[in-house]
Amino acid sequence: MSAAASIGPGATTAPVTPKRGYSREQWESKLDNVKVSKANLNALVMNYLIIEGYQSAALKFAQEANISSSVALDSIDDRMQIRAAIHGGAIQEAIERINDLNPELLDTNPELHFSLLRLQLIELIRECTASPNGDIQPVLSFATTHLASRAQKNPAFLTDLERTMALLCFPRDNLAPQLAELMDPSLRRQVAARVNEAILEAQGVMREAKMRGLVRLWGWAENALRQEKVDFPSLDLKNIA
Amino acid sequence: MIAEDDLLPYLRSDDRRIQLRALRSLKNSIIGHSEQKAAYLDRGVLYELLGIINTQEDGVKDPMSDECRIQAGVVLSSFAYSDPEISSRLLTPATLSTLVTTLTQYSPPALLLASLRTLTTLLTLRPTPSLVNQFPGLATSMSELISHYSTACFENYARQDVQSLTKLCTLVPLISPSHSSAQSLSSELTSPLIELVYGSFKNSQTSGVVFDSKLQSTAILALAHVLTPTAARQIAAAGPKFTNPLLALLRAPDTTTRLSAASLLTALYTSGKPELTSSSGVTRAPQITTLAMTLVPTLMKLLDDAIAAGDHGRNCDPRILHTLAIVCREGGDVTDRCVEAGLIKKIVSIVVQVAPNNHFASGRILERDGKLLSGSLLCLSALGLYNEDYRKAIIEAGALGAVVAVMNTANTPAVREVKIAACHVLRTLSRSVRLLRTTMVESGVVCGIVDLLGDVPSEEERPLLENVDTVASEPEPMDDEPVQTTVTEVPAEEDDEDEGDEEEDLEVRTAAMAAVCNLVLDFSPLRKSILDKGILPLVVSGARSRYTPLRLNSTWALKHMVFGDDMDTKDSVMSHVGFPLIMKLCEDKEIQVQEQALDFLRNLTARSEKYIDMLFDNVGVDEVFKLVDRKLSLRVVPAVDDSEQELLSTQPYYTKVIIAAAYVIVHIAAGDDRHREAVIRNETVLRKIVQLMRHENYEVRLACVWTIINLTWVEEPSRAPGEAAAAQLAGQISAGGPSSDQSQLEQSISSSAEIYSSDCRRRAMTLVRFGAREQLEYLKQDPVLDVREKTKTAIYQIDSLGGGPSLGAEDQHVENIGSVPSHGVEVAGSAMEIDSELHA
């Protein structure tokens, strides 16, 4: 972890003269010369733990490093429960939890709300098509009350709704790839991730851990160096983890 | 879960548990569902919710009851997030007062947060008259809450506290949309907001954790909103520890933070700037300019990004334009840089995009567009304030059509702000004499402005207006009433309890009046059409307003109406105004109003014996001179808590009052013999005039010299006229050209010629006795050429009437004969300033 955190500024001081090379020792000593403050390092780690949802680790880390966090630690648990509910297909529960945690979210984010409602519709369809004599009525009434009027106002919603309703017409084990996607659990994970990001964003937190951005920046810098034909030991992500 | 249709009866349940369950179900069934919201509102859910929120705790803490109030608050906040038609149904006095009542530390925090959410949503959606004026305790509770939650956030970063604090800061500009209400919040809110913003800087530095950027930016914006000049100077005095982090934020990753930093720096830059360069001024001018120079690139980048983002800048944050407007209003280099960067064209492109003529019919998008449009127009008006070329560029870019379209749109609350901004553009453009005579001749402009002024007078002011009308219809307005009582006839102001409701309305009228000011000047082709629209009673009622900016601009407009030689206009102005009002305005609490009122008298009496007589007859000769005497003796008396800068900023107005008063004397002295005698008999005033010949302001000195010239002017012997002929002569001069009556005049040589010249001699002697001759000697060395030239004339006249001190000066007089003007009447002394104070 700490190795990853010490990257960054070093990359931006890339030599301008072409065809220079660095041995591992030279490189490491160069890296060591870049001073990163303890506070910044801690903040980076804390940021990662919070955004990725490691509540207990974050709490422990905050205590040990004696830092006050800029993000509400208490919401981590709520977010994880919401994520779990969506992963498990309990969409109504997830919606109610979201409304408890942040009553503004679904009012102000119609796209997100629509994707949750559509997921809920898919779950109803899943239920109904699970048995040969499944009752189609709940599906239709849910689609009519909650989704139809939204689809009227928004063409993108309409396409999504039509495709979802098509699930009713085809046997479950023989779906076209486009439709199969909808029944795939990965859709739940996608929606869950979007919900998580939306909650974080509403809390004024960046969606992505800063560390990920730094790793990308490192990659970009290595590429730039290679184009300048500079020889240097490249970063192996396996060594960090 | 309770079936959704049946929720309403459960909301009324006495059993808190049932009520709570119903509220939760209601919440989950409406969040994100507009149809359900509309249906519940139809069934009267609002009053159930307000009732629950208003539940009083009877001594004992009841967690269940608190939870119900919280949930009801949350449900209410969800109703606020709906289509505008739905949410506007929430905007009732009952809702607002219920919500405002919950804004205390003693409310459950979650309820407070919900209420804040509802209020910010509703007020953002629909411009509402300043809530701070409607709810007197609101400022204090906001202040307490901001302090309370700031402390909480710095100690222990809890999500809910941060949210509440963010919403509190968001609410600050929303409850005080008008300039004056914002300034009235300042005393309560400035210091908690400074603490919060400064705390957020320190917090980021010490913990290395970036403070919640949303909270930080809203806090900064709130502080910028309530910032007064005094507060700005306090911050400037605190030095770089406050401004440096702010400058760093100009490069923050998110646009709102950058914008907020730019807007606070702008507010600091404009309000904190000492009016004059003062050695003890904390912030020196060059530093301030550097500051503005760093702002321009940031703001231009924000604007460019917004325009590039598509939809032709329609989604641009209006605050960017608002901030640019404030920066540009300062003029100078900063404005030049903005114009060089193409700001005029960029803004006009947004304006033209957003304000097509037909757009205003549909109310919906408007409220958002309205802010953008008003910001854009304010920015245009600021850009053109000091530069003729920029005004031309604004016209050439095609802005006037949009402005006229705005002016002629039906009045709705959302359009109001846009109209104010449009008035500012008109005012800026009307500063150009050329534009005034060409492009602006556009009757559409006139109708729009007069309509704005005529916007049904508020009830409070209506009696006054009727009063004006009856006064105006009387042939001899305030004939035989003793002057003193007439002057005090208009009731002395009680401190107004609530101007609140009409305050925004007054701001519109103020802006419209500012636009009128220059349009009614005598060379404006629009003067006649504006007067024909019956604007006079409206201007007079404005001059009677308790709202100082409106009173100022209206008095200014009156001053411009009596500028020039158009006697018909002067007549009709006087038939509406009446001297008691003018005398009252001359004694106004606000020095700038006094200046305008005295300028009114100055313009009225210029080249017009008729109006000098009218003034003497109505006010009384003694009263006129007493008034002038008071004004000539004006000294800036600093209030105890006034800082040096405030002193510096009001001083110029005191001098201007003195100048105006002196020119009233100049003009009376240019009247007929009777008028001159009146002046010469007033020893106190004469002594003041002589004293003021050493005043530091050259205009004051010049006016004094003019007084002497006019008092000692001798008509050429062949034409030395009697009183009647003198009156005609004055008329001739004022007409500015040769008169066909000249031959008649020549014939009316009167035997009074000798008496006349002996009068002049006597007057000259009086002046000499008061020391005028010595003062003139001193003024021969005056640094200002004009003063030196007029001094020569005055010396020549006095000396040729026998007042010369010594033989030595004689030579000079001979030399000077050539420079003696053809007449002694002061012609160019009328007060006309194409300007008025901007009350944005």
Side-chain angles (χ1 to χ4, degrees):
Chain A
M1 192 66 74
S2 59
S6 66
I7 57 168
T12 57
T13 58
V16 264
T17 34
K19 293 188 180 165
R20 272 173 77 182
Y22 295 96
S23 71
R24 179 160 291 278
E25 289 74 35
Q26 285 172 318
W27 186 252
E28 295 285 339
S29 80
K30 271 231 174 268
L31 290 187
D32 288 343
N33 281 339
V34 181
K35 297 283 175 249
V36 181
S37 81
K38 186 87 181 159
N40 282 345
L41 269 186
N42 286 343
L44 201 59
V45 174
M46 193 66 190
N47 173 281
Y48 177 83
L49 293 176
I50 288 167
I51 292 181
E52 298 292 319
Y54 299 108
Q55 182 180 24
S56 54
L59 278 170
K60 277 224 180 71
F61 186 80
Q63 266 172 8
E64 279 175 26
N66 193 23
I67 49 175
S68 62
S69 163
S70 69
V71 183
L73 291 172
D74 46 11
S75 86
I76 297 183
D77 193 37
D78 291 319
R79 282 189 287 127
M80 292 312 111
Q81 283 182 359
I82 292 166
R83 182 155 79 181
I86 299 174
H87 284 175
I91 310 300
Q92 182 63 33
E93 184 201 328
I95 289 178
E96 289 179 12
R97 280 186 185 280
I98 292 172
N99 289 343
D100 283 339
L101 177 66
N102 182 349
E104 284 173 288
L105 195 69
L106 299 182
D107 264 328
T108 49
N109 200 335
E111 285 82 13
L112 190 68
H113 195 203
F114 180 84
S115 60
L116 278 166
L117 291 172
R118 188 178 63 141
L119 208 52
Q120 203 170 355
L121 179 68
I122 293 171
E123 296 311 324
L124 287 171
I125 293 174
R126 201 192 298 277
E127 219 171 275
C128 140
T129 52
S131 62
N133 299 322
D135 185 5
I136 201 172
Q137 202 48 48
V139 177
L140 293 180
S141 83
F142 185 86
T144 324
T145 28
H146 293 316
L147 291 163
S149 60
R150 284 162 214 268
Q152 271 175 5
K153 290 176 198 153
N154 186 329
F157 288 178
L158 184 62
T159 321
D160 280 351
L161 179 60
E162 281 170 352
R163 197 180 300 157
T164 313
M165 292 306 279
L167 287 173
L168 285 172
C169 313
F170 298 99
R172 214 171 138 181
D173 39 10
N174 190 16
L175 290 171
Q178 270 194 328
L179 294 182
E181 261 174 28
L182 296 179
M183 298 300 268
D184 194 276
S186 71
L187 182 65
R188 290 180 185 171
R189 284 201 294 276
Q190 274 174 35
V191 174
R194 281 180 56 198
V195 169
N196 190 40
E197 284 173 5
I199 294 173
L200 283 173
E201 208 185 0
Q203 292 180 356
V205 182
M206 280 189 284
R207 292 147 171 250
E208 185 188 69
K210 284 179 186 164
M211 207 167 323
R212 293 186 184 277
L214 284 176
V215 171
R216 275 203 303 275
L217 188 62
W218 182 274
W220 174 87
E222 284 194 345
N223 267 337
L225 283 176
R226 278 190 205 104
Q227 274 176 12
E228 295 288 321
K229 309 238 184 320
V230 180
D231 192 26
F232 64 97
S234 61
L235 179 75
D236 190 348
L237 286 174
K238 268 176 273 170
N239 294 344
I240 310 169
Chain B
M1 196 170 153
I2 304 165
E4 286 180 7
D5 301 347
D6 298 323
L7 288 176
L8 271 186
Y10 293 102
L11 289 182
R12 299 187 196 110
S13 167
D14 289 336
D15 186 333
R16 293 278 180 228
R17 264 165 307 199
I18 294 175
Q19 198 177 48
L20 184 58
R21 232 181 306 147
L23 283 164
R24 282 190 194 282
S25 298
L26 181 60
K27 176 176 80 176
N28 286 321
S29 69
I30 62 159
I31 288 182
H33 299 279
S34 304
E35 289 89 353
Q36 271 86 335
K37 288 179 188 173
Y40 275 113
L41 280 179
D42 287 341
R43 294 169 59 195
V45 75
L46 179 60
Y47 295 95
E48 305 298 336
L49 293 173
L50 294 181
I52 297 172
I53 296 173
N54 276 325
T55 312
Q56 291 300 317
E57 279 168 18
D58 18 346
V60 203
K61 267 265 178 208
D62 176 7
M64 209 55 176
S65 155
D66 272 359
E67 191 53 34
C68 285
R69 294 177 70 204
I70 292 169
Q71 290 302 322
V74 171
V75 172
L76 189 62
S77 77
S78 174
F79 277 108
Y81 292 111
S82 312
D83 300 334
E85 301 93 75
I86 298 177
S87 44
S88 60
R89 289 165 64 183
L90 297 187
L91 260 180
T92 66
T95 313
L96 289 178
S97 76
T98 302
L99 290 172
V100 168
T101 321
T102 59
L103 301 186
T104 74
Q105 293 174 48
Y106 310 105
S107 296
L111 174 62
L112 175 75
L113 178 56
S115 294
L116 286 170
R117 231 173 7 226
T118 314
L119 272 175
T120 49
T121 315
L122 291 180
L123 297 180
T124 309
L125 234 130
R126 188 147 297 229
T128 311
S130 305
L131 282 194
V132 274
N133 296 338
Q134 294 174 42
F135 300 96
L138 183 54
T140 314
S141 32
M142 289 285 289
S143 164
E144 283 167 7
L145 283 169
I146 291 174
S147 302
H148 173 81
Y149 278 98
S150 298
T151 318
C153 283
F154 291 132
E155 274 169 9
N156 182 11
Y157 202 96
R159 188 66 226 153
Q160 192 168 298
D161 293 347
V162 175
Q163 284 179 325
S164 298
L165 194 50
T166 310
K167 293 286 179 195
L168 281 164
C169 293
T170 314
L171 199 55
V172 170
L174 295 173
I175 55 173
S176 58
S178 66
H179 180 71
S180 57
S181 58
Q183 299 277 302
S184 75
L185 271 183
S186 179
S187 60
E188 295 274 10
L189 293 189
T190 305
S191 77
L193 284 171
I194 289 181
E195 297 270 303
L196 171 54
V197 172
Y198 185 55
S200 79
F201 295 153
K202 271 201 309 203
N203 197 267
S204 317
Q205 282 159 5
T206 53
S207 70
V209 177
V210 180
F211 197 74
D212 185 300
S213 63
K214 208 167 158 189
L215 170 57
Q216 190 177 48
S217 58
T218 43
I220 293 174
L221 283 168
L223 179 56
H225 183 76
V226 300
L227 200 71
T228 55
T230 319
R233 283 190 293 267
Q234 278 166 11
I235 293 177
K241 67 177 181 178
F242 198 93
T243 42
N244 278 358
L246 213 47
L247 283 165
L249 287 182
L250 289 176
R251 295 184 297 274
D254 71 306
T255 44
T256 319
T257 305
R258 269 184 283 156
L259 174 57
S260 69
S263 101
L264 182 55
L265 283 166
T266 304
L268 288 171
Y269 157 60
T270 50
S271 338
K273 182 183 64 157
E275 294 276 329
L276 302 168
T277 321
S278 147
S279 53
S280 60
V282 185
T283 325
R284 303 274 167 74
Q287 289 168 346
I288 289 278
T289 314
T290 321
L291 183 62
M293 287 304 187
T294 59
L295 288 174
V296 173
T298 306
L299 289 165
M300 290 301 292
K301 178 76 169 60
L302 286 168
L303 182 66
D304 287 344
D305 288 351
I307 292 176
D311 220 359
H312 306 277
R314 199 139 187 188
N315 294 314
C316 178
D317 187 330
R319 288 174 297 197
I320 299 174
L321 292 157
H322 221 272
T323 312
L324 273 169
I326 297 170
V327 173
C328 293
R329 203 164 60 193
E330 297 299 305
D333 277 357
V334 184
T335 315
D336 296 342
R337 292 298 96 76
C338 287
V339 174
E340 278 166 21
L343 186 57
I344 292 180
K345 281 207 172 117
K346 283 171 191 169
I347 295 178
V348 173
S349 80
I350 295 179
V351 170
V352 171
Q353 191 66 30
V354 181
N357 298 354
N358 54 4
H359 178 67
F360 288 90
S362 65
R364 270 203 56 177
I365 347 165
L366 192 79
E367 317 212 315
R368 200 201 126 73
D369 279 357
K371 281 224 171 353
L372 180 57
L373 205 46
S374 62
S376 306
L377 292 174
L378 279 181
C379 203
L380 284 182
S381 87
L383 283 168
L385 265 185
Y386 306 109
N387 191 311
E388 177 77 15
D389 288 342
Y390 299 166
R391 290 192 276 264
K392 205 173 128 206
I394 293 170
I395 293 280
E396 278 168 3
L400 192 60
V403 172
V404 174
V406 167
M407 293 301 295
N408 290 308
T409 312
N411 277 339
T412 66
V415 183
R416 188 156 57 186
E417 211 178 331
V418 188
K419 286 198 172 183
I420 294 184
C423 284
H424 284 304
V425 178
L426 289 176
R427 167 176 165 268
T428 288
L429 295 178
S430 71
R431 281 185 163 193
S432 156
V433 177
R434 198 178 53 79
L435 289 177
L436 203 53
R437 304 184 78 127
T438 54
T439 329
M440 301 274 290
V441 185
E442 160 71 83
S443 57
V445 173
V446 173
C447 288
I449 295 179
V450 179
D451 286 352
L452 272 190
L453 284 176
D455 222 7
V456 194
S458 61
E459 283 183 26
E460 194 190 13
E461 301 217 346
R462 193 171 292 136
L464 283 176
L465 202 69
E466 280 160 5
N467 187 19
V468 169
D469 286 336
T470 49
V471 168
S473 60
E474 282 166 26
E476 286 287 334
M478 46 285 307
D479 215 348
D480 27 350
E481 263 183 292
V483 176
Q484 282 301 352
T485 47
T486 335
V487 171
T488 51
E489 171 208 55
V490 182
E493 278 139 83
E494 295 90 47
D495 276 340
D496 332 323
E497 308 103 51
D498 54 336
E499 273 183 350
D501 266 346
E502 66 193 55
E503 186 184 318
E504 274 79 6
D505 190 45
L506 289 169
E507 288 190 357
V508 180
R509 288 169 63 195
T510 304
M513 202 60 83
V516 163
C517 271
N518 296 338
L519 300 182
V520 295
L521 278 164
D522 67 335
F523 50 77
S524 156
L526 294 174
R527 178 188 241 191
K528 191 172 177 323
S529 43
I530 288 186
L531 288 171
D532 287 349
K533 287 256 169 218
I535 201 177
L536 258 170
L538 302 170
V539 180
V540 172
S541 110
R544 286 179 186 274
S545 169
R546 291 175 183 176
Y547 184 64
T548 306
L550 176 59
R551 197 165 67 248
L552 174 61
N553 287 358
S554 307
T555 315
W556 204 308
L558 288 174
K559 166 182 98 172
H560 278 183
M561 284 178 180
V562 292
F563 172 76
D565 297 321
D566 175 3
M567 292 300 152
D568 290 345
T569 309
K570 281 193 181 183
D571 281 341
S572 72
V573 170
M574 285 322 293
S575 73
H576 280 84
V577 178
F579 283 101
L581 175 58
I582 297 299
M583 298 317 269
K584 180 173 151 53
L585 292 171
C586 284
E587 305 289 358
D588 202 274
K589 274 192 282 192
E590 171 64 45
I591 187 74
Q592 294 186 56
V593 176
Q594 290 188 27
E595 179 204 340
Q596 300 307 320
L598 278 146
D599 273 344
F600 177 92
L601 290 179
R602 169 183 175 179
N603 283 354
L604 185 73
T605 50
R607 287 174 303 245
S608 167
E609 286 152 23
K610 174 181 166 193
Y611 287 105
I612 301 175
D613 282 336
M614 197 191 258
L615 176 67
F616 282 178
D617 293 347
N618 281 283
V619 180
V621 181
D622 289 349
E623 286 305 317
V624 172
F625 283 100
K626 273 186 198 158
L627 170 75
V628 172
D629 182 42
R630 274 197 301 278
K631 298 305 161 188
L632 290 179
S633 327
L634 269 188
R635 292 269 184 286
V636 190
V637 184
V640 182
D641 54 348
D642 265 359
S643 69
E644 186 191 356
Q645 268 90 8
E646 263 149 357
L647 214 61
L648 288 173
S649 67
T650 51
Q651 190 158 31
Y653 297 109
Y654 283 85
T655 308
K656 282 179 176 176
V657 172
I658 295 177
I659 296 169
Y663 270 105
V664 172
I665 294 299
V666 171
H667 289 160
I668 295 176
D672 60 30
D673 249 10
R674 215 162 37 86
H675 302 141
R676 287 176 210 212
E677 280 306 308
V679 176
I680 208 75
R681 272 199 306 272
N682 264 279
E683 288 197 9
T684 13
V685 168
L686 277 186
R687 283 184 197 279
K688 285 269 159 53
I689 293 281
V690 172
Q691 267 172 26
L692 287 171
M693 290 169 81
R694 301 244 182 167
H695 195 274
E696 57 180 13
N697 185 295
Y698 85 92
E699 284 189 82
V700 177
R701 301 195 299 271
L702 190 61
C704 297
V705 178
W706 267 121
T707 309
I708 294 171
I709 292 177
N710 286 353
L711 285 175
T712 55
W713 170 243
V714 186
E715 299 294 341
E716 285 167 41
S718 64
R719 286 171 41 182
E723 283 184 23
Q728 281 180 30
L729 183 65
Q732 206 181 61
I733 291 160
S734 64
S739 164
S740 57
D741 294 339
Q742 201 147 348
S743 51
Q744 287 176 349
L745 262 170
E746 308 253 352
Q747 290 160 11
S748 69
I749 302 169
S750 152
S751 61
S752 62
E754 274 172 33
I755 309 165
Y756 175 81
S757 118
S758 79
D759 282 347
C760 287
R761 191 168 299 122
R762 186 173 41 77
R763 286 198 291 267
M765 289 311 132
T766 314
L767 288 169
V768 171
R769 191 152 45 84
F770 290 151
R773 187 62 185 78
E774 285 82 1
Q775 295 283 55
L776 285 170
E777 201 61 34
Y778 173 78
L779 287 184
K780 272 155 81 176
Q781 314 297 327
D782 199 275
V784 179
L785 176 69
D786 204 14
V787 178
R788 288 200 302 271
E789 288 298 314
K790 297 298 175 293
T791 301
K792 283 179 195 167
T793 309
I795 289 178
Y796 169 79
Q797 288 186 186
I798 287 193
D799 290 358
S800 44
L801 287 168
S806 66
L807 283 168
E810 205 96 11
D811 294 343
Q812 258 192 327
H813 301 157
V814 181
E815 280 169 37
N816 287 336
I817 295 177
S819 69
V820 175
S822 57
H823 55 78
V825 183
E826 199 281 317
V827 192
S830 295
M832 187 275 289
E833 251 168 298
I834 301 205
D835 195 5
S836 78
E837 292 303 301
L838 191 62
H839 293 284

